[in-house]
CSV table of all heavy atoms in Angstrom, one decimal:
chain,number,residue,atom,x,y,z
H,245,GLN,N,9.1,-5.2,9.4
H,245,GLN,CA,9.5,-4.1,8.6
H,245,GLN,C,9.4,-2.8,9.3
H,245,GLN,O,9.3,-1.7,8.7
H,245,GLN,CB,8.7,-4.1,7.3
H,245,GLN,CG,9.1,-5.2,6.3
H,245,GLN,CD,8.5,-5.2,4.9
H,245,GLN,OE1,9.0,-6.0,4.1
H,245,GLN,NE2,7.5,-4.4,4.7
H,246,THR,N,9.3,-2.8,10.6
H,246,THR,CA,9.4,-1.6,11.4
H,246,THR,C,10.9,-1.2,11.5
H,246,THR,O,11.7,-2.0,11.8
H,246,THR,CB,8.9,-1.9,12.9
H,246,THR,OG1,7.6,-2.4,12.8
H,246,THR,CG2,9.0,-0.6,13.7
H,247,GLN,N,11.2,0.1,11.1
H,247,GLN,CA,12.6,0.5,11.1
H,247,GLN,C,13.2,0.6,12.5
H,247,GLN,O,12.4,0.9,13.5
H,247,GLN,CB,12.8,1.8,10.3
H,247,GLN,CG,12.3,1.6,8.9
H,247,GLN,CD,12.5,2.8,8.0
H,247,GLN,OE1,13.3,3.7,8.3
H,247,GLN,NE2,11.6,2.9,7.0
H,248,THR,N,14.5,0.4,12.7
H,248,THR,CA,15.1,0.5,14.0
H,248,THR,C,14.9,1.9,14.6
H,248,THR,O,15.0,2.0,15.9
H,248,THR,CB,16.6,0.2,13.9
H,248,THR,OG1,17.2,0.8,12.8
H,248,THR,CG2,16.9,-1.3,13.8
H,249,ASN,N,14.8,2.9,13.8
H,249,ASN,CA,14.6,4.3,14.5
H,249,ASN,C,13.2,4.3,15.2
H,249,ASN,O,13.0,5.2,16.0
H,249,ASN,CB,14.8,5.4,13.5
H,249,ASN,CG,13.8,5.4,12.3
H,249,ASN,OD1,12.9,4.6,12.3
H,249,ASN,ND2,14.1,6.2,11.3
H,250,VAL,N,12.3,3.4,14.9
H,250,VAL,CA,11.0,3.3,15.6
H,250,VAL,C,11.1,2.2,16.7
H,250,VAL,O,10.7,2.4,17.8
H,250,VAL,CB,9.9,3.0,14.7
H,250,VAL,CG1,8.6,2.7,15.4
H,250,VAL,CG2,9.7,4.1,13.7
H,251,ASN,N,11.7,1.1,16.4
H,251,ASN,CA,11.7,0.0,17.3
H,251,ASN,C,12.8,-1.0,16.9
H,251,ASN,O,12.8,-1.5,15.8
H,251,ASN,CB,10.3,-0.8,17.2
H,251,ASN,CG,10.2,-1.8,18.3
H,251,ASN,OD1,11.1,-2.3,18.9
H,251,ASN,ND2,8.9,-2.2,18.5
H,252,LYS,N,13.8,-1.2,17.8
H,252,LYS,CA,15.0,-2.0,17.5
H,252,LYS,C,14.6,-3.5,17.5
H,252,LYS,O,15.3,-4.3,16.9
H,252,LYS,CB,16.1,-1.8,18.5
H,252,LYS,CG,16.7,-0.4,18.3
H,252,LYS,CD,18.0,-0.2,19.1
H,252,LYS,CE,18.7,1.1,18.8
H,252,LYS,NZ,17.9,2.3,18.8
H,253,GLN,N,13.6,-3.9,18.2
H,253,GLN,CA,13.2,-5.3,18.3
H,253,GLN,C,11.7,-5.4,18.1
H,253,GLN,O,11.0,-5.6,19.1
H,253,GLN,CB,13.6,-5.9,19.7
H,253,GLN,CG,15.0,-6.4,19.7
H,253,GLN,CD,15.2,-7.5,20.7
H,253,GLN,OE1,14.9,-7.3,21.9
H,253,GLN,NE2,15.7,-8.6,20.3
H,254,PRO,N,11.2,-5.3,16.9
H,254,PRO,CA,9.8,-5.3,16.7
H,254,PRO,C,9.3,-6.8,16.8
H,254,PRO,O,10.1,-7.7,16.9
H,254,PRO,CB,9.6,-4.9,15.2
H,254,PRO,CG,10.9,-5.2,14.6
H,254,PRO,CD,12.0,-5.1,15.6
H,255,LYS,N,8.0,-6.9,16.9
H,255,LYS,CA,7.3,-8.2,17.0
H,255,LYS,C,6.9,-8.6,15.6
H,255,LYS,O,6.6,-7.8,14.7
H,255,LYS,CB,6.1,-8.2,17.9
H,255,LYS,CG,6.3,-7.8,19.3
H,255,LYS,CD,6.9,-8.9,20.1
H,255,LYS,CE,7.3,-8.5,21.5
H,255,LYS,NZ,6.2,-8.4,22.4
H,256,ALA,N,7.0,-10.0,15.3
H,256,ALA,CA,6.7,-10.5,14.0
H,256,ALA,C,6.2,-11.9,14.2
H,256,ALA,O,6.3,-12.5,15.3
H,256,ALA,CB,8.0,-10.4,13.1
Side-chain angles (χ1 to χ4, degrees):
Q245 286 187 171
T246 304
Q247 297 179 29
T248 43
N249 58 12
V250 172
N251 189 341
K252 290 191 172 50
Q253 274 208 304
K255 300 283 175 76

